Amino acid sequence: MDILEKIFEAGVVGAGGAGFPTHIKLDGVAEYLLVNAVECEPLLETDKFITRHKSEEIIKAMEIMGNHIQAKEMVIGLKKKNTKEIQALREAIQCLKSKVTLHLVENFYPAGDEQMLVYEITKRQVPPGGIPKDVGVVVCNVGTVVNIYEALNEKPVTHKLVTILGEVKNPSMVYAPIGTPIEKCIEMVGGPTIQAYRIVLGGPMMGRVIEKSQLNQEVVTKTTGGIIVLPEEHFMLRDKQQDLTQMINRSRSTCIQCSLCTDLCPRNLIGHPLRPHRIMRTLSGDKEQYGVLKEALLCCECGVCEVYACPMGQTPKNINVEIKNLLRQEGIRYSDTSVKNEVNGMREYRKVPAERLLARLELSGYADQVKDGYCSIEPHRVKIPLKQHIGKPATPIVEVGSLVEKGQLIARVNAGDLGANIHASMQGVVSEINEFIWIEAGEKAVIQ
């Protein structure tokens, strides 16, 4: 099998984002191969841990990937402040005599957004509504690259390294089988330290909030990067719980059209025609400007507009998310992919410092909680989603009662489809199949 076939068979998807199937991303040629080791979200430690401990695997995989796409440049982007990670990569590059180079960025948010990273490293503007490949660039998360290395050695994606922190007894990195209940992961680090809490799946800026009552429903997937336990009355969580009607009513009553949300919008600053303040104005009654709502399709959902820029506590990011969903349901896509504007000359001065952002979020107390090292979890039951990626869900190829081995293919997609294969993350018996494949390990399974 060639590299794309191995990646496809192993079920590799983007580990740091929405889960775009990697065999499709690497199909073709590109001038640049960029590996994103920036760790975009505040507090999370997953990418830094991978970079420190898997540096040689990263470089080896990049050489193969770069050769496959005929890349002239192979670059890893990471933050200047991450000195241990820089040292590990430099030693690996020297040891392997690799042509991979490092590009160091300042500690701003969202430095790890792939379109920000493309501009930072290449000075090329990804067109509005476009993808990095439109400007000759392929971007992969560092965790994805390690999964590619494993795939090239015939090892499918079965586990995920997850940062668990916040109001828990022992904030840690946890190595969990895909399908492990989030509740078991929190138990693994000693459980919560408070009674009234909610959980953020992902990072504090772009993560999804779940209630305690949902813990037994949510599981680790191929894209899970963080589990953050926060007091249920934390102001960030209150904003994430509003529905669209509530957000529009607040906009109509308190939005002062100061335009700070637009002035600090990272996508606007690289020349994309996204103006959150105009979207807010349209929702407040300016129906003649209805076409402005399509600009929401350009939003990367970083959250700078609402948790950092807005002086009135508005939620333009959440409104953009709702509008995007409604437009996509109608089959509406952003069609004008020509770059409309030059990069804003004030961009360098409007980057959001990560430390200041954490302070604004009232999360500074959780910084640097996670120490080096990790723990493994072996649940007695996993619930593996058939859809952990962009595109079509995988189709089960096992039946209830089937005995499966760890790493065995249990659901697949056709090679030409946008989707990814799914593998058993533990040995056991298939007990149920619906939108998930449930595997029971039996009495011998323990949580370590």
Side-chain angles (χ1 to χ4, degrees):
M1 289 189 292
D2 67 13
I3 175 175
L4 294 186
E5 290 174 325
K6 289 184 176 182
I7 291 170
F8 168 74
E9 290 298 332
V12 181
V13 301
F20 193 88
T22 306
H23 67 282
I24 296 176
K25 179 176 282 191
L26 293 178
D27 187 13
V29 299
E31 186 177 348
Y32 281 88
L33 171 63
L34 304 187
V35 170
N36 187 348
V38 170
E39 196 95 72
C40 186
E41 282 273 16
L43 298 180
L44 300 190
E45 298 286 334
T46 304
D47 289 351
K48 291 195 283 291
F49 183 93
I50 291 171
T51 304
R52 288 195 304 274
H53 295 280
K54 297 287 185 179
S55 55
E56 287 199 8
E57 290 90 333
I58 292 165
I59 302 304
K60 288 177 181 176
M62 285 185 69
E63 290 282 356
I64 297 171
M65 295 161 63
N67 181 64
H68 175 77
I69 65 172
Q70 303 175 35
K72 296 178 181 178
E73 301 282 346
M74 297 179 289
V75 187
I76 302 175
L78 69 168
K79 292 181 178 178
K80 288 181 181 179
K81 74 182 186 71
N82 296 335
T83 55
K84 292 180 180 178
E85 291 74 19
I86 294 170
Q87 181 180 354
L89 288 170
R90 283 177 172 165
E91 289 176 356
I93 290 170
Q94 183 177 12
C95 178
L96 297 170
K97 297 180 173 56
S98 173
K99 296 180 181 179
V100 172
T101 61
L102 305 183
H103 184 97
L104 308 182
V105 302
E106 299 296 337
N107 189 24
F108 71 94
Y109 177 82
D113 173 83
E114 71 172 11
Q115 298 198 17
M116 299 301 110
L117 195 65
V118 167
Y119 182 76
E120 287 288 322
I121 295 177
T122 71
K123 299 306 176 187
R124 297 179 181 183
Q125 293 171 278
V126 177
I131 59 175
K133 223 169 187 178
D134 294 334
V135 292
V137 183
V138 167
V139 184
C140 286
N141 171 267
V142 68
T144 309
V145 175
V146 171
N147 286 338
I148 291 172
Y149 175 85
E150 300 286 2
L152 297 177
N153 289 280
E154 315 294 338
K155 184 179 178 182
V157 180
T158 60
H159 285 63
K160 191 72 168 71
L161 195 66
V162 183
T163 305
I164 306 180
L165 52 72
E167 296 295 339
V168 294
K169 291 179 181 177
N170 301 300
S172 305
M173 301 298 304
V174 171
Y175 189 62
I178 302 298
T180 301
I182 298 298
E183 186 174 24
K184 295 298 182 185
C185 294
I186 295 174
E187 288 177 8
M188 188 67 189
V189 297
T193 58
I194 56 178
Q195 290 296 317
Y197 62 87
R198 291 191 178 105
I199 303 94
V200 179
L201 295 183
M205 293 293 287
M206 301 174 71
R208 178 167 59 90
V209 177
I210 63 171
E211 305 288 340
K212 288 170 61 176
S213 60
Q214 298 173 286
L215 271 177
N216 62 349
Q217 303 171 28
E218 300 286 345
V219 298
V220 173
T221 72
K222 294 179 182 182
T223 61
T224 304
I227 300 171
I228 306 174
V229 178
L230 294 176
E232 71 174 3
E233 292 305 316
H234 193 285
F235 80 94
M236 282 186 60
L237 305 186
R238 292 197 299 270
D239 285 346
K240 289 178 183 282
Q241 299 299 307
Q242 298 180 68
D243 62 29
L244 182 58
T245 300
Q246 291 173 312
M247 291 187 286
I248 291 175
N249 287 339
R250 285 185 62 191
S251 171
R252 287 173 174 167
S253 61
T254 61
C255 178
I256 59 175
Q257 283 293 295
C258 65
S259 81
L260 282 174
C261 53
T262 296
D263 293 341
L264 293 182
C265 171
R267 289 291 173 91
N268 182 279
L269 289 171
I270 62 167
H272 287 194
L274 170 58
R275 299 164 294 176
H277 79 286
R278 290 289 302 277
I279 293 172
M280 300 291 280
R281 182 193 306 172
T282 300
L283 291 176
S284 297
D286 189 3
K287 295 182 179 180
E288 293 182 2
Q289 301 297 319
Y290 182 76
V292 170
L293 297 182
K294 290 184 181 179
E295 294 180 9
L297 292 166
L298 301 176
C299 178
C300 68
E301 304 176 24
C302 69
V304 165
C305 53
E306 63 187 35
V307 302
Y308 192 83
C310 183
M312 302 302 292
Q314 296 293 315
T315 54
K317 184 265 283 190
N318 286 343
I319 285 176
N320 282 350
V321 170
E322 294 291 340
I323 293 173
K324 286 166 70 174
N325 290 337
L326 292 172
L327 292 175
R328 286 170 178 166
Q329 288 172 19
E330 296 295 323
I332 298 173
R333 299 289 185 269
Y334 194 84
S335 56
D336 186 359
T337 58
S338 60
V339 176
K340 294 294 186 181
N341 307 308
E342 297 294 326
V343 172
N344 193 302
M346 294 296 291
R347 178 176 181 269
E348 290 299 316
Y349 308 100
R350 292 180 181 175
K351 291 178 178 177
V352 175
E355 295 93 343
R356 191 177 299 174
L357 177 64
L358 272 180
R360 185 75 62 87
L361 297 174
E362 299 178 12
L363 295 174
S364 298
Y366 302 119
D368 303 318
Q369 276 190 324
V370 178
K371 306 306 177 185
D372 208 8
Y374 72 97
C375 54
S376 297
I377 183 170
E378 296 182 8
H380 61 82
R381 186 188 202 196
V382 292
K383 173 185 167 186
I384 304 176
L386 294 172
K387 183 173 172 58
Q388 305 175 47
H389 46 262
I390 286 177
K392 297 177 64 174
T395 301
I397 60 172
V398 294
E399 299 177 349
V400 173
S402 299
L403 177 64
V404 296
E405 299 290 331
K406 177 182 171 182
Q408 178 180 331
L409 183 66
I410 57 175
R412 69 175 304 122
V413 295
N414 295 325
D417 290 338
L418 181 64
N421 291 334
I422 305 292
H423 300 77
S425 58
M426 60 182 285
Q427 181 181 2
V429 176
V430 176
S431 62
E432 187 176 346
I433 300 176
N434 39 50
E435 295 177 351
F436 305 84
I437 295 179
W438 305 64
I439 301 175
E440 303 275 356
E443 295 179 358
K444 294 183 179 179
V446 294
I447 295 178
Q448 298 180 339

